[in-house]
């Protein structure tokens, strides 16, 4: 069981959120799991934590299609924040649009954080999804 | 012998009016009348013997012998004095005494100079006539009414191709003309010549003796005496080549005219000043004017000044540089009607090779242009439809996939779950996922319905009534939100649309305005409509939250796109509205400012 200080789940679909939370229970121990309906809310929270010295999430589960601010826009805004801490980002989508995959490849190159692309449905969260430090160490 | 010696008769002789002389048998001039002596330039006769007669007639060396024969004869001769030549004619007759003995010769001499001169003149005139006939190839003929004799000159015979010995009668002369029009005509003219003294000058067809058909120009002129035609004089000239050449020219002209007129092109010829000097039927039809009205006109008389100026500049270029313009696409406006032409202008040269204007040809390609535009718009529509289909396919796959993914995930959990409470929870979630899927399918169905109804049946709808009805249906919602609605839609406007779509459009746009009202202001909705070029434009404005179009402009009509944190925002209404409007051939645009309000403009295409 890996100990994780903070996890952000950014998804407007309550069932997916439920699923991620349920799967996390078996692989991670985390007291600070935050749920956000869209990118905008998540970004506001991240900015707030960054400014006030709050806990920066170690792992973010990020949906692509969301109202107000979608996953890509959130990524752009997040890179802008220039957070030094390591954050593992898991993009979780039901989209099989090749354009989305292409976009992910582009982001992967310029994103300073590990960026995973996971197609729904997901049944299990790998330890890798929570950070590759264990494997590295 | 006594008689000889008598003086009296000699004295009488002197006075005779007709120049007379008496000569002896030896040829000596015995006596003569004064007129005779004057004629021969002899001053006076000395007593006794005069000069020998032979010196007076030096031309006739036979004279001595002739005199000896004692027979009458005549002699023509000349006397030249002071460079004037007199033509004389002398009659010689034996001179008898009472006993019928020849005692000498009596000579009577006439001055025939004037007759000779006349003859010479006639000969000269004949010569001139002959030359003229030869040069002009004009023959002449003469008909004597009394004797009914017809005379043809040599040239006339040559034209008829008859031998010189041929002697025609009047009827034969007429019969040389081709039977039918020519023969009837010449017959009639010849008759009128005699009866009405009417001259003629006409081209008719002759069939020669050798059977050749030749065009001849014939004239006839009566010579009238005492009110009666006594003679007819006429000419005949072979004008076959000229007539044939003229006919060929006329035929060529006819061919060219028919060709130019029948071409499905506007054809015109302009002079150096760009005045039209020839127009064909198509050109006349295009301007709805007759050829006479167009000839002499320039483009300045026919078109707007700018169009005419452009055309004139083209003309000058063509005529100056001698380079033709071929197949240039032009556009001209005549009486407000726009016509597209494929225009060619070619320099026009005279026989000396100098440019004297231009030949213009314009092909009306307006209908082709229209077809091309239709095709282009059809292609644009096809491309758009295709893009819509692809994006719709992605939406479908994404939405369906997300639900099925949830099912898979939840079922996976259910399989592994032992705890009954947790299982019940999972089943509840599965039911929710199922409801979501059903709703999504319902939405997708609506969109498919709108888009697959290619033959949407449009009906005339009274726009104001339709708006009023939707407002009534939504009166509960509007009152609850204390909305103030202003309906500016004019009373008379009718639009062609699918009534159900119109209701959906109005309902969605009005409920959107309510949904996204500003908490700081009393909601105001203004509905307006006006006629535009293409059809009728409807606008629905509110003073609500507004939306940042710079950020979301390209997504506002997208499926499942929402921009405000509202529980009831599904991101489907505007997507459906846009599909419904486009299915009716219209379009929708949006203007918005954050915290000021939003205006949706719907254009109803009334054309199709």
């Amino acid at each position: 069981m890996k100990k994780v200080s903070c996890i952000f789940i950014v998804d407007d679909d309550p069932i997916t959120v439920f699923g991620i939370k349920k799967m996390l229970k078996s692989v991670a121990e985390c007291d600070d799991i935050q749920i956000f309906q869209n990118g905008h809310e998540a970004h506001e929270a991240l900015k707030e934590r960054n400014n006030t010295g709050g806990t920066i999430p170690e792992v973010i589960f990020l949906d692509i299609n969301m109202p107000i601010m979608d996953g890509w826009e959130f990524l752009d805004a997040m890179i802008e924040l220039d957070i030094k801490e390591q954050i593992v980002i898991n993009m979780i989508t039901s989209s099989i649009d090749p354009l989305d995959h292409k976009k992910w490849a582009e982001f992967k190159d310029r994103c300073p954080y590990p960026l995973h692309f996971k197609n729904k449905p997901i049944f299990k969260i790998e330890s890798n999804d929570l950070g590759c430090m264990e494997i590295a160490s | 012998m006594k008689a000889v010696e008598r003086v009296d008769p000699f004295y009488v002789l002197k006075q005779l009016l007709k120049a007379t002389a008496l000569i002896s048998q030896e040829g000596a001039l015995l006596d003569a009348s004064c007129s005779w002596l004057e004629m021969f330039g002899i001053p006076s006769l000395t007593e006794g013997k005069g000069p020998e007669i032979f010196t007076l007639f030096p031309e006739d060396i036979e004279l001595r012998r002739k005199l000896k024969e004692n027979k009458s004869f005549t002699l023509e001769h000349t006397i030249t004095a002071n460079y004037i030549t007199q033509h004389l004619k002398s009659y010689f007759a034996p001179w008898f005494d009472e006993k019928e003995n020849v005692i000498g010769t009596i000579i009577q001499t006439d001055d025939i100079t004037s007759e000779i001169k006349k003859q010479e003149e006639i000969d000269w005139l004949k010569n001139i006539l002959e030359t003229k006939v030869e040069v002009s190839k004009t023959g002449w003929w003469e008909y004597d009414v009394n004797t009914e004799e017809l005379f043809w000159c040599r040239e006339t015979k040559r034209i008829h191709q008859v031998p010189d010995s041929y002697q025609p009668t009047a009827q034969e002369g007429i019969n040389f003309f081709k039977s039918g029009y020519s023969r009837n005509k010449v017959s009639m003219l010849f008759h009128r010549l005699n009866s009405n003294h009417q001259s003629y000058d006409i081209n008719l067809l002759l069939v020669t003796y050798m059977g050749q058909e030749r065009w001849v120009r014939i004239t006839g002129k009566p010579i009238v005496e005492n009110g009666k035609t006594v003679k007819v004089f006429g000419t005949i000239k072979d004008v076959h080549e000229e007539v044939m050449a003229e006919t060929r020219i006329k035929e060529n002209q006819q061919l060219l005219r028919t060709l130019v007129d029948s071409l499905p092109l506007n054809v015109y010829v302009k002079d150096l000043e760009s005045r039209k000097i020839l127009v064909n039927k198509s050109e006349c039809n295009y301007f709805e004017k007759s050829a006479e009205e167009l000839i002499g006109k320039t483009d300045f008389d026919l078109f707007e000044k700018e169009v005419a100026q452009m055309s004139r500049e083209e003309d000058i270029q063509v005529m100056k540089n001698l380079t033709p313009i071929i197949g240039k696409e032009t556009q001209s406006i005549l009486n407000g009607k726009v016509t597209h032409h494929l225009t060619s202008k070619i320099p026009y040269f005279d026989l000396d090779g100098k440019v004297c204007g231009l030949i213009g040809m314009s092909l009306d390609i307006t209908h082709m242009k229209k077809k091309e535009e239709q095709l282009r718009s059809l292609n644009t529509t096809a491309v758009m439809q295709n893009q819509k289909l692809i994006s719709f396919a992605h939406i479908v796959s994404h939405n369906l996939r997300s639900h099925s993914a949830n099912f898979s995930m939840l079922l996976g959990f259910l399989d592994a779950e032992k705890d009954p409470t947790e299982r019940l929870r999972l089943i509840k979630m599965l039911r929710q996922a199922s409801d979501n899927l059903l709703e999504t399918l319902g939405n997708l169905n609506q969109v498919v319905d709108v888009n697959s109804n290619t033959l949407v049946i449009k009906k005339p709808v009274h726009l104001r009534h339709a708006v009023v009805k939707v407002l009534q249906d939504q009166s509960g919602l509007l009152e609850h939100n204390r909305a103030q609605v202003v309906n500016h839609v004019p009373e008379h406007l009718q639009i062609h649309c699918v009534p159900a779509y119109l209701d959906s459009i109005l309902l969605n746009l009005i409920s959107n305005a309510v949904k996204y009202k500003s908490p700081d202001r009393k909601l105001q909705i203004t509905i307006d409509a006006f006629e535009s070029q293409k059809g009728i434009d409807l606008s629905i404005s509110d003073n609500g939250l507004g939306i940042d179009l710079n950020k979301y402009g390209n997504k506002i009509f997208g499926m499942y796109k929402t921009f405000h944190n509202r529980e009831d925002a599904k991101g489907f209404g505007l997507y459906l509205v846009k599909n419904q409007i486009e299915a009716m051939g219209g379009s929708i645009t949006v203007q918005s400012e954050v915290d000021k309000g939003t205006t949706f403009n719907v254009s109803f295409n009334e054309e199709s």
Side-chain angles (χ1 to χ4, degrees):
Chain A
M1 198 70 104
K2 182 178 160 48
K3 261 206 147 196
V4 183
S5 60
C6 174
I7 296 173
F8 275 18
I9 302 174
V10 193
D11 200 324
D12 60 334
D13 177 22
I15 295 174
T16 308
V17 173
F18 167 81
I20 292 170
K21 272 164 79 180
K22 194 170 168 59
M23 285 181 277
L24 276 173
K25 268 184 200 157
S26 55
V27 287
E29 202 176 293
C30 182
D31 299 330
D32 187 11
I33 297 178
Q34 297 296 322
I35 314 295
F36 303 97
Q37 296 273 329
N38 61 60
H40 181 69
E41 287 176 7
H43 178 249
E44 287 296 310
L46 194 59
K47 203 162 70 182
E48 172 74 17
R49 289 190 179 213
N50 194 34
N51 288 345
T52 57
T55 321
I56 299 297
E58 283 179 52
V59 182
I60 297 176
F61 291 95
L62 183 63
D63 186 20
I64 292 178
N65 289 298
M66 289 176 293
I68 303 174
M69 184 187 261
D70 68 17
W72 304 122
E73 287 163 342
F74 172 79
L75 270 183
D76 265 328
M78 187 188 150
I79 292 166
E80 285 281 304
L81 288 178
D82 198 21
I83 295 168
K84 295 285 173 280
E85 282 87 344
Q86 180 74 294
I87 309 170
V88 180
I89 304 161
N90 297 296
M91 302 211 76
I92 295 176
T93 180
S94 58
S95 168
I96 47 161
D97 188 342
L99 264 177
D100 280 332
H101 202 267
K102 217 178 135 199
K103 232 172 172 175
W104 166 73
E106 281 165 22
F107 265 102
K108 204 175 176 241
D109 286 343
R110 59 191 179 90
C111 182
Y113 316 107
L115 187 66
H116 303 145
F117 191 88
K118 292 178 94 67
N119 259 116
K120 286 183 194 174
I122 41 171
F123 297 102
K124 196 168 183 271
I125 290 169
E126 309 290 337
S127 60
N128 195 26
D129 301 334
L130 304 172
C132 42
M133 261 88 95
E134 273 179 43
I135 298 157
S137 60
Chain B
M1 291 298 273
K2 267 182 191 167
V4 177
E5 276 161 15
R6 277 207 323 250
V7 181
D8 281 353
F10 285 99
Y11 194 72
V12 172
L13 181 69
K14 266 197 209 306
Q15 298 173 56
L16 281 177
L17 291 172
K18 188 146 183 171
T20 310
L22 293 173
I23 53 169
S24 69
Q25 275 190 298
E26 289 76 36
L29 179 65
L30 296 176
D31 204 349
S33 67
C34 291
S35 53
W36 200 93
L37 291 174
E38 198 187 335
M39 209 176 265
F40 283 84
I42 300 164
S44 62
L45 275 178
T46 43
E47 199 60 35
K49 294 268 161 74
E52 279 231 336
I53 196 80
F54 307 113
T55 61
L56 297 172
F57 297 93
E59 286 120 323
D60 196 352
I61 45 164
E62 298 273 293
L63 188 59
R64 196 182 293 272
R65 184 185 55 75
K66 279 181 186 164
L67 284 175
K68 282 225 171 88
E69 284 173 359
N70 291 334
K71 279 181 185 165
S72 295
F73 63 93
T74 61
L75 190 66
E76 282 183 26
H77 53 105
T78 59
I79 290 175
T80 305
N82 301 326
Y83 306 109
I84 295 169
T85 302
Q86 268 187 307
H87 291 267
L88 303 173
K89 190 172 184 180
S90 294
Y91 301 85
F92 292 80
W95 178 19
F96 300 100
D97 64 3
E98 292 92 331
K99 287 161 193 154
E100 299 284 320
N101 293 314
V102 174
I103 54 172
T105 306
I106 306 170
I107 306 172
Q108 281 197 326
T109 302
D110 288 334
D111 187 340
I112 57 162
T113 307
S114 65
E115 279 104 286
I116 292 289
K117 281 269 156 69
K118 265 182 200 153
Q119 190 56 49
E120 275 178 357
E121 216 166 282
I122 287 169
D123 289 348
W124 175 240
L125 285 175
K126 270 192 180 161
N127 197 6
I128 287 176
L129 182 66
E130 204 64 27
T131 313
K132 273 194 170 170
V133 163
E134 259 173 52
V135 172
S136 71
K137 306 262 188 223
T138 307
W140 57 270
W141 54 272
E142 209 177 72
Y143 176 73
D144 192 314
V145 176
N146 292 320
T147 62
E148 295 188 353
E149 264 172 25
L150 177 64
F151 174 79
W152 282 359
C153 82
R154 265 174 52 196
E155 184 63 21
T156 305
K157 287 178 181 169
R158 202 193 59 75
I159 290 168
H160 284 79
Q161 294 184 328
V162 293
D164 282 351
S165 58
Y166 185 80
Q167 289 298 331
T169 66
Q171 192 54 51
E172 280 171 349
I174 286 169
N175 284 348
F176 266 101
F177 288 90
K178 194 179 179 187
S179 70
Y181 173 78
S182 285
R183 194 180 295 169
N184 296 344
K185 190 81 187 172
V186 79
S187 236
M188 192 192 70
L189 290 170
F190 193 70
H191 174 73
R192 284 204 191 142
L193 209 59
N194 290 324
S195 56
N196 303 0
H197 318 313
Q198 228 173 330
S199 302
Y200 63 77
D201 183 344
I202 192 170
N203 287 352
L204 289 175
L205 203 52
L206 189 82
V207 182
T208 68
Y209 191 66
M210 315 294 260
Q212 290 178 1
E213 285 189 10
R214 309 282 298 178
W215 280 97
V216 290
R217 179 182 176 182
I218 53 165
T219 69
K221 197 176 162 184
I223 293 158
V224 182
E225 268 173 28
N226 301 324
K228 276 184 82 178
T229 303
V230 291
K231 255 190 184 177
V232 179
F233 179 79
T235 61
I236 180 165
K237 181 175 163 66
D238 187 329
V239 291
H240 192 70
E241 305 304 330
E242 288 95 318
V243 170
M244 290 317 281
E246 211 171 293
T247 309
R248 269 197 296 274
I249 288 171
K250 273 186 189 157
E251 278 171 0
N252 279 341
Q253 273 177 341
Q254 174 74 15
L255 174 69
L256 211 64
R257 190 74 238 179
T258 312
L259 196 70
V260 166
D261 268 342
S262 320
L263 280 174
L265 287 171
N266 294 5
V267 178
Y268 50 85
V269 180
K270 286 176 173 176
D271 66 8
L272 289 173
E273 305 300 321
S274 287
R275 287 181 294 237
K276 288 183 198 287
I277 51 174
L278 182 148
V279 289
N280 76 340
K281 265 206 190 102
S282 303
E283 179 83 343
C284 292
N285 293 345
Y286 172 61
F287 286 108
E288 292 174 349
K289 281 186 163 60
S290 71
E292 289 73 29
E293 285 175 290
L294 285 177
I295 297 294
K297 294 254 163 68
T298 68
D299 287 334
F300 289 96
D301 303 318
L302 299 164
F303 292 108
E304 296 279 314
K305 203 184 163 202
E306 295 85 55
V307 177
Q309 189 60 43
M310 261 167 61
S311 174
R312 171 66 180 151
E313 271 157 27
E314 265 177 18
D315 292 357
I316 290 171
Q317 284 302 307
V318 169
M319 294 188 286
K320 213 164 113 191
N321 303 339
L322 307 183
T323 44
I325 293 174
I326 305 285
K328 182 183 171 186
E329 266 191 40
T330 56
Q331 188 184 331
S332 53
I333 303 159
L334 190 70
N335 305 326
K337 211 180 116 195
V338 179
T339 314
H340 294 273
H341 280 127
L342 215 55
T343 300
S344 300
K345 289 181 177 177
I346 298 151
Y348 174 38
F349 300 99
D350 62 14
L351 292 177
D352 298 328
K354 262 168 53 187
V355 67
C356 62
L358 63 86
I359 302 166
M361 281 165 276
S362 300
L363 179 66
D364 189 339
I365 52 162
T366 311
H367 64 288
M368 282 190 247
K369 266 280 192 232
K370 226 174 229 164
K371 282 264 156 63
E372 197 184 304
E373 251 158 52
Q374 280 171 356
L375 210 66
R376 200 170 293 149
S377 99
L378 210 65
N379 190 40
T380 313
T381 312
V383 167
M384 258 171 54
Q385 295 278 19
N386 217 12
Q387 275 171 351
K388 260 169 85 176
L389 272 177
I390 290 171
S391 95
F392 184 70
H394 279 140
I395 287 167
V396 169
S397 75
H398 174 258
N399 286 301
L400 295 183
R401 263 190 65 84
S402 69
H403 290 298
S404 72
N406 283 345
F407 275 116
S408 295
M409 184 181 72
L410 291 171
L411 288 170
F413 290 161
L414 196 62
D415 265 351
E417 192 58 60
K418 298 274 179 343
D419 179 15
T421 343
E422 192 63 17
R423 280 179 71 94
L424 274 177
R425 208 175 143 204
L426 283 170
I427 287 165
K428 204 179 144 201
M429 294 220 88
L430 273 167
R431 182 160 299 126
Q432 200 195 326
S434 162
D435 288 346
N436 288 350
L437 177 61
L438 272 179
E439 197 194 338
T440 301
L441 283 174
N443 287 348
L444 291 176
N445 241 346
Q446 275 189 59
V447 178
V448 170
D449 259 1
V450 169
N451 282 303
S452 61
N453 257 345
T454 44
L455 285 171
V456 283
I457 296 151
K458 288 198 202 176
K459 287 180 188 155
V461 174
H462 190 275
L463 186 56
R464 191 179 166 87
H465 291 176
V467 172
V468 168
K469 189 177 165 283
V470 170
L471 290 177
Q472 274 169 0
D473 290 349
Q474 297 298 307
S475 56
L477 178 78
L478 293 166
E479 269 164 36
H480 181 255
N481 286 280
R482 291 175 191 192
Q484 186 198 342
V485 182
V486 185
N487 183 358
H488 275 319
V489 178
E491 189 63 44
H492 69 277
L493 280 186
Q494 273 211 338
I495 59 168
H496 282 81
C497 66
V498 182
Y501 290 0
L502 179 65
D503 286 348
S504 153
I505 292 160
L506 289 169
L507 178 69
N508 270 296
L509 293 180
I510 289 166
S511 62
N512 256 11
V514 174
K515 225 182 258 179
Y516 304 108
K517 68 172 183 171
S518 165
D520 309 329
R521 290 183 292 276
K522 184 175 156 68
L523 174 60
Q524 256 190 348
I525 304 173
T526 310
I527 306 168
D528 204 349
F530 51 90
E531 281 173 278
S532 75
Q533 262 191 332
K534 276 185 88 177
I536 285 161
D537 288 356
L538 170 78
S539 72
I540 295 174
S541 312
D542 64 52
N543 61 345
L545 293 170
I547 188 163
D548 187 348
L549 290 177
N550 288 331
K551 236 170 152 181
Y552 305 118
N554 54 342
K555 289 181 178 168
I556 191 160
F557 298 108
M559 197 180 190
Y560 299 126
K561 302 283 182 198
T562 53
F563 310 97
H564 300 91
N565 270 331
R566 277 192 59 103
E567 280 292 303
D568 55 352
K570 296 272 169 33
F572 181 67
L574 284 179
Y575 179 76
L576 184 67
V577 163
K578 187 176 160 72
N579 273 281
Q580 286 171 332
I581 291 168
E582 285 174 356
M584 294 189 293
S587 60
I588 180 165
T589 57
V590 61
Q591 289 163 298
S592 186
E593 211 174 315
V594 174
D595 209 29
K596 285 273 165 66
T598 307
T599 301
F600 286 99
N601 289 298
V602 181
S603 292
F604 291 97
N605 183 359
E606 289 292 292
E607 280 176 351
S608 53

